[in-house]
Structures are given as structure tokens and as C-alpha cells.
Amino acid sequence: MITRRELLQYGVGAGALLVLPGGMRSAIASPGGKLTKYVEPLPLPGAGMVVATPDRADHYSFTQTQIARQLHPELPPTPLWAYDDGSGLVGQAGSFGMAVVAQSGTPLEIDFTHALPATYPAWLPVDTRETPLGKQVRLMTHLHGGFVDAASDGNPWIRPTGFGPGETQTVTYSNQLPQMPASLLWFHDHGLGTTRLNVVAGLAAAYILRDEFDTGAEPNPIGIPGGAYEIPLVIQDRQFNPDGTFLYPTSDIPGVVWIGEYFGDVMLVNGKVWPFLDVEPRLYRFRVLNGCNARILNLDLGGAPMWQIGAEGGLWDRPVPLTQLVLAPAERADVLIDFSRLAGAVLPMKNLRPPRPVATPAPPLTQVMQVRVAPTVSQPGPTSIPASLPGRAARIPGPLAATRYITLNEIAAGTASWVLLLNGDDFEKPPTETPQIGTVEDWVYVNLTADTHPMHTHLITVQVIGRTPFDVDAYQAIYGRATGVPGGIDPTPFATGPMVAAEPTERGFKDTVKVNPGYFTTVRARYDLPEGVITPQTYVYHCHILEHEDNDMMRPFTIMP
Ligand SMILES: [Cu+2]
């Protein structure tokens, strides 16, 4: 019997026609891998990425609409789904082309109006077992990292059928402090059972929060690079059909369309295929988002010295030196990078295999982009790394009101019943996680699968406490059922070693945490609500591998009085 891992290691993106037993049909003459690398410049805000224009004070109106863009000169134009701020998106060069820039502490209201086709085109293969309304395009925009009321969250529990053509989703983003400090968030579609397809089609955008310290300009009170020296990097892997449409493979299991993970054979950065970036030999700020559906990145920036200064929950209290940058889908890193001793160099940005205990079935995809360092500097900017930062380390004081044990299970892989479940429960089952407002809880993610799952909780950010190795087989042998191990069973008696403390790169608050196989991972959060929002409020938590989230690794949780 071939295992899922063995089956998946045969090449998605190998360029050959492969029909795999129980797995996926893939790489149907995908032309992507043959595209010439480093031909086009990286799109940047105001130069290939649109900085959204409000239609009145603190209010934006977006329509979700289909456009077409050439993502590489050797490809035909690719049909894309995009957020149009009313500009018509003439300034969007690639498949990731929109950024909202907002102020911490100032709430925003946004309308999202569905102006896409009523039904899915053939290049986006829907598995109608997972969708509430068949092949209808139903949209739901979620602000990832937003501290907002449940009705504004873009949350498929509150409105499972989402929004149809002509309908408008109206949201209020609190941008409230301290939960929403200066940071890089993103908004993306969260349609029930179709998140993986809507995001591949292009429905994802940046949301940058500023404050009086992190102004985005240079100079600034923090003493970090700004202006043209602050570079957002949104990394997404994709496959292409010869006609320019995105290739999203389908399963060859009878009755199944859904595949376990989507891996591309081409890397896009800010929506362009394998771009290049011209820099000066000085200090830069890179703001990196892993926007892949399923690929865990391990970025190597060509030997330039790096310091991480923040993550999903904003800036830290001090910089941390980095040698590699391992980011699972939806994780973000705020990084200072020093090119000052690399004048004239041409540096590859590479994606290497993530180190253990991170585990992923992804086939390799090594090249990301190219960084070309000019011989001279036009504007020197800051020349040293600040000793301290105006942000925070994550340290949540007790007492603990509850500890919840949440299991991650993969059931019947490679069959028509293949599903990923939290606590052995479907998404539709009523909430079982019900923290009381204002209390602190530990959530312990007990991974019973072979791979890393990036677990994301809406509304809150967490402090990573640590990861404890344990005997998965023994735990499962005692408590396993047909749908996996139910929630609520403490794995501590099965520990095989002491807890490994949070990584240095987990210094601050996080909204997405790597839950590695062979370990249980403990995260701590305070379950507050935005000012004026009354209990109960229901949100969701899920794996941010979008294929897993769609089938069915997502559950509601309710904040109770
Ligand atoms: Cu997962």
C-alpha cells in the first residue's frame, strides 16, 4: 500500500503527465517551470501594486472583479480575481496588486461588492461536496489579524453561504489598540469550501497598519528603513495552463475533486513570476508574507545579514538576529536586511527545505527571486540596527481559566472519505471551545498527522509557550476512533521529553503558529472583544493550509459572557 507521503513526493510540477493512484492528477504539461527567471521587476506599492484610495474619510468601497494580467512575458494574460478600489486597477501589474494603508487606532469601514461571475469557471475546480450552494461563486472577505466583531470578521460560521453576485459585505475594522498595533495584516477570501480556489484566483491583498513610530517614511522615530527602502514581499507558488490560466489540479479519486495540498512549480512574488529587485548597498526593511496555499517556505536571502523586528502581532521590543526565515502559510516576518557590504552583488533569494521538526510533503521549488545590489547608495538612511523597538514581546499574565486539548487528525487519506478534522468534528458541529470573555486560556494542539499545520485563530493573537514531543502512536492506540482522537484528552502522560521553548522568532504575538508532527504545541491567549462588542460572538480557528481548511480542518469558537 502506497502511503500518502510517498504518493505526494512524486512531482507536482515535474512537467510530465502523472496520474497517481489515490492522489492527484497533476502537472498536465504545465509550462511554468520553463519560464525564464528574473525577467520582470518586482511590483511595489505605487509601481505595480495599487495603494487603495478611500472613497470618503475612513471608508473604502471595493468590488471583487475579474481582470487579466500578463504575469510573465512568455505567458498569455492570466484571468485574475481582484479587489478594485474604484481605480479600475490600471496600476496592478500582477496577481497580487492591492494594499490598504490604515492608521492604528482609527477604525475603517469597507464595502466589498461581488462583481464576479455567478458560477465558477473551469480553471477553478469546485468540489461541490464542500460548498453550500454548488458551483455558485459565494464570497466572504476576512481581515486576517483583525480584532473585530464577528459580523465584520468575514467568518463562514456567521454566514455560511457568503455573498452572491451584486451583494455587498459591509465591515468595520476596529484597528483598536493594543490588539492592532502597526503591523502587516492581509485580507483574503474565506468562502466556505472554496477558500483555496478564491485565493489562488487572486482574492488576497495587503493591509498595512501605521502609527506615530512606524510611519513608513524615512527618517522615522524607530530608526528603521522606510519609503522606497521598505519592501513588501508576498510569496505564492502557482502552476499555469498553456493558455495562461492558473492550473489547479483535480483528484483522480472517483467522486472527488479536492486535493490534499496545492503546490506550484513557479514562484510568484507580489504577483509576478520569479521577479528581480534592484536595491542599493544599504539597510532595507522586508515585510514578508507567505501567501501560498500549502507551501512552507524556508527563505535564504543570499547571505545578507538579517534581523527580525516583528511578526503577525506587530513590532517586538528588540531585534533578533536571523540566519533563516521559516514561514508557514499566513505567517509574516518583519525583517531588516543589510546589503551594505554587497555592492554590485547579484543575490538569489532561495527557498530551501524547512528544517525538522517542520514537515511538509511539498516538492522542492528553490528559486524565489533575484536581488541586484547597485554599486552605490543614493540615500544612506539608517546605518545601524536599533537596540530597542517600540513594540512588545508576548508575555500574557495568568491566571489560566482553562486548558483545552485540540487534536489534529487526518482520516482515510487517498480515499473518497479523505478529510482532516479538529477534535474529530466536522465544521458544522456547534462550537465546543467557549472561552469566557476577558479570560486567559492555553490551547494545546495535539498533532496526530505526519505534517506541520499552521494553526490560525481569528480575533486573537497568541503567545507561543512551547512544543512537547510525545508518543503519538500510544496516545492514538488508546483514544483513537473512526474520526480520530476526540478533543479534550491531555497528551502529557505520553510526553517523551521536556517542552521545547518557543523559537526566538516567536518572541512576539502571533496569529498563525506551526503545529509540528510528533509534538503537542501550547499557545496562550486572552479572549477579549473589541470595545462595545457584546457576548456571545462566534469566530473560527483553522489550519491555514487552505486545502485543509476547506476539508474540514476548521471549527467555530464562541466568546461567552
Ligand atoms: Cu493543515
Side-chain angles (χ1 to χ4, degrees), residues 59 140 260 275 412:
H59 187 282
M140 175 63 82

Side-chain angles (χ1 to χ4, degrees), residues 411-437:
I411 309 300
T415 76
S417 320
W418 188 355
V419 70
L420 293 111
L421 296 176
L422 298 170
N423 293 340
D425 292 332
D426 294 329
F427 177 63
E428 285 72 18
K429 196 184 159 195
T432 46
E433 281 66 58
T434 52
Q436 194 188 352
I437 185 168

